[in-house]
Amino acid sequence: MNLTSRSVSRTAIVSTVLAASLGATLIVTTSASAATTLGAAAAQTGRYYGTAVAAGKLGDSTYVNILNREFSMVTAENEMKWDATEPNRGQFNYTNGDRILNQALSNGKRVRGHALLWHQQQPGWARGLSGSDLRSAAINHVTQVASHYRGKIYAWDVVNEAFADGGSGGRRDSNLQRTGNDWIEAAFRAARAADPNAKLCYNDYNTDGINAKSTGVYTMVRDFKARGVPIDCVGLQSHLTNGPPGDYQANIQRFADLGVDVQITELDIAGSSQANGFSSVTRACMAVARCTGITVWGIRDTDSWRTGENPLLFDGSGNKKAAYTSTLNALNAGGTTVPGGPTTTPPDPGSGSCTASVSLNPWTGGFVATVTVTAGSSALTGWRVTTALPSGTTVTGSWSAVGSGTTGTVTWTNVDYNGAVAAGRSTEFGFQGSGSAEGLSPTCTAAAAREAR
Ligand code: G3I
C-alpha cells in the first residue's frame, strides 16, 4: 500500500511515529470523526451514496429506516421506466415514481432518474411501433417524463443499455436502434430541452472494465462531446461477481478524462470476496475526482433482483454485513474530492423559524387549500410544512411545493424558487383535494435549501 500518496478525508488525522529503535517508520492513519452512515461518509469528499428503491416497499419500516439512515441518493428501481410511466400512448402515470421522488426529497435525498429509453420494459404499444412513429413516440416520452420531473432530478439515465455484448463494440439491435443510429443523441437533446438542470447520463452493464463494449461507449461519448451533443455523465452499472475488473479505476478515469462525470449506478457483488470487492469498487471511485457517487441496486439481500446471490450490503433482516463495513471504511478513508467540494450530510437543518397558516376554499366533496409560510425574525433558506389530513381526504394536485404523499400526514417542501424567504416576509403554496380539509393546522420548520432539490 502506498501510504505516502494515499489521500485521507478532511477529518482524518495522520500521525507519524518514528520507531527509532527499529529504524522503521510506522504511519498510523486514524479518523478523528469517522462518519457512521454511508451517505455521511461519502459526503466528506462531495460524493453521494445511493440505493435503488421499490415503491412497494415504502411501507416496510425496516426498509425505510435503513433507507432514511444510510442513503443520500435514490433511484426508482422500476417506477420511472417507460412501461410504468406511459402504459398507454400519451397517457402518463407518475403515481409510483412520484411516491419514490417525494419520499426521497422530503427526507433530504436527491434522485437519479432511471431510465428514459431502454429496449427492455417498454410498454406493449411501443414494442409494436417502428420507424418514424416509434422515434416520435420515444422522443415525446423523453420530453414528457423529463418535463414532469423538471428541476427535481440530479441525473437522468437518458439511454440505458444500447450497446451490444461481445466484441463488436457496436450498438445493440433493438426497435429503437432500427429508427436510426442518431436515436441516442436525439434523446439526449430532448432531455436537455425538457430539464436543463439535470445531468444527462448514458448507462450500461459489462462496461466496468476496458473492453470492446466500454470502448464503444467511450467512442460515442467522445463523439458527443466533440459535436456538442449534451451528455454529462456515464453510468457503470457494476453488477459484479467477487469484485471489479483490474482496470476498473483506469476505465473510470478514461471516461472522466473525456469531461464527463462517472457514476456507479447499480452496484451489487455476488461471491465469496464480496466485502473486498465492495471496498475495491469504493476505492476506485474515490480515486477519481469525477466519480461523483455510488448507488447499490437495492437495500437488503432479499430486495435484490439477483435472487439467492445475496449481493447487497444488508442481510434479509436488515443487519449490516461485512460488505457494509468494508464500504464504510473505504469511504471514511477518503480520497479525491469531487468538483464542487464536500457537501454536508446530514443536510444543514437551515436557520430561522417559520409559521404556516391556511386559507380554505371548500365545497362539497373537495377543497383548495392555500398555505402561507411566514419567516420569523431571520430569513429562511428553505422550509417544510406538515399537514395532518383527515382520514378519507386525498390530495389530487399541488403547486409551489413538493408533497411527501397524498393522504394522512403530508410534508410539503419548498421548491427551488420559494425556499428563500426574507425575515418577516411570506410565500405561498397550495394543494387541492377530495374530501375535507376543515380544521387543518399546518406546522412549519426551517430547512436547508438543498433539501428541495
Ligand atoms: O410487479 C410485478 C408483479 O405484480 C408480478 O406479479 C410479477 C410477476 O413476474 O412481476 C412484477 O414485476 C417485476 C418487477 O421487476 C418488479 O419486481 C417484473 O416482472 C420484473 O421483470 C422486474 O424486473 C426488474 C428488471 O430490471 C426488469 O428488466 C428488476 O426489478 C430491476 O431490478 C431490474 O433493473 C435493471 C435495471 O433497470 C437496468 N440494469 C439491469 C438491472 C437488473 O436487471
Side-chain angles (χ1 to χ4, degrees):
M1 180 164 53
N2 180 356
L3 286 171
T4 50
S5 65
R6 182 172 162 216
S7 347
V8 293
S9 70
R10 289 181 306 141
T11 52
I13 297 168
V14 179
S15 60
T16 303
V17 178
L18 273 180
S21 59
L22 297 172
T25 303
L26 174 66
I27 301 178
V28 181
T29 304
T30 55
S31 183
S33 58
T36 57
T37 66
L38 301 168
Q44 295 172 116
T45 54
R47 292 180 172 81
Y48 63 82
Y49 206 95
T51 185
V53 166
K57 292 176 180 159
L58 288 176
D60 175 335
S61 60
T62 305
Y63 183 86
V64 173
N65 284 342
I66 300 172
L67 169 62
N68 287 346
R69 185 185 74 219
E70 297 287 343
F71 297 100
S72 52
M73 184 72 72
V74 159
T75 306
E77 187 174 1
N78 289 297
E79 294 79 352
M80 294 187 188
K81 293 172 180 174
W82 198 350
D83 59 351
T85 51
E86 194 181 2
N88 299 300
R89 190 170 187 171
Q91 288 181 2
F92 292 84
N93 182 343
Y94 299 111
T95 307
N96 285 326
D98 284 358
R99 282 181 67 202
I100 291 175
L101 179 102
N102 291 331
Q103 200 282 342
L105 295 184
S106 61
N107 285 286
K109 305 176 198 311
R110 290 181 290 169
V111 176
R112 292 191 82 263
H114 173 83
L116 292 171
L117 292 180
W118 186 22
H119 64 283
Q120 286 185 25
Q121 284 181 280
Q122 294 183 1
W125 64 267
R127 288 200 300 268
L129 300 182
S130 62
S132 57
D133 199 14
L134 174 59
R135 173 65 73 92
S136 62
I139 297 305
N140 181 57
H141 180 76
V142 171
T143 300
Q144 295 300 323
V145 177
S147 297
H148 174 79
Y149 289 112
R150 180 186 174 106
K152 297 171 183 168
I153 298 288
Y154 164 73
W156 264 112
D157 291 331
V158 179
V159 169
N160 193 41
E161 300 177 9
F163 277 73
D165 290 311
S168 75
R171 299 282 182 85
R172 169 196 299 282
D173 178 54
S174 72
N175 59 347
L176 290 164
Q177 182 61 30
R178 289 192 291 273
T179 70
N181 205 50
D182 61 343
W183 72 277
I184 297 183
E185 61 193 84
F188 274 79
R189 291 188 200 281
R192 178 69 96 228
D195 187 353
N197 291 322
K199 289 179 184 286
L200 304 181
C201 303
Y202 176 80
N203 189 51
D204 216 326
Y205 67 91
N206 284 351
T207 49
D208 312 308
I210 296 177
N211 56 37
K213 187 174 178 183
S214 65
T215 299
V217 175
Y218 177 85
T219 305
M220 179 188 74
V221 173
R222 189 176 58 189
D223 171 58
F224 279 14
K225 294 297 280 185
R227 291 190 296 113
V229 178
I231 186 165
D232 307 301
C233 37
V234 168
L236 305 181
Q237 293 185 9
S238 303
H239 295 295
L240 302 171
T241 298
N242 288 323
D247 50 11
Y248 191 60
Q249 183 179 321
N251 192 41
I252 295 172
Q253 186 68 60
R254 73 169 174 158
F255 279 107
D257 290 344
L258 289 177
V260 290
D261 290 347
V262 178
Q263 299 164 8
I264 310 306
T265 52
E266 303 182 15
L267 179 62
D268 46 27
I269 308 181
S272 55
S273 312
Q274 178 182 72
N276 281 337
F278 269 99
S279 79
S280 299
V281 166
T282 311
R283 281 187 277 111
C285 179
M286 301 286 283
V288 180
R290 288 198 76 152
C291 184
T292 58
I294 299 173
T295 292
V296 283
W297 204 241
I299 296 179
R300 300 162 300 195
D301 285 335
T302 42
D303 301 317
S304 173
W305 69 293
R306 297 171 75 173
T307 308
E309 293 190 82
N310 299 328
L312 294 173
L313 300 178
F314 296 87
D315 70 18
S317 305
N319 300 309
K320 297 169 181 174
K321 294 167 57 184
Y324 172 93
T325 308
S326 70
T327 300
L328 185 67
N329 290 344
L331 292 169
N332 274 325
T336 58
T337 296
V338 304
T343 55
T344 49
T345 297
D348 173 357
S351 56
S353 61
C354 54
T355 55
S357 60
V358 65
S359 151
L360 208 57
N361 175 17
W363 61 87
T364 307
F367 65 90
V368 169
T370 306
V371 182
T372 302
V373 174
T374 305
S377 54
S378 45
L380 298 169
T381 54
W383 45 262
R384 260 196 313 261
V385 169
T386 301
T387 52
L389 299 172
S391 93
T393 295
T394 302
V395 174
T396 53
S398 64
W399 58 96
S400 302
V402 177
S404 61
T406 56
T407 56
T409 299
V410 179
T411 300
W412 303 92
T413 310
N414 65 276
V415 288
D416 284 346
Y417 56 80
N418 66 0
V421 184
R425 305 297 291 268
S426 298
T427 188
E428 279 185 355
F429 73 94
F431 57 97
Q432 63 207 47
S434 58
S436 162
E438 288 299 338
L440 208 62
S441 61
T443 57
C444 185
T445 51
R450 68 183 294 271
E451 290 186 27
R453 291 189 311 191

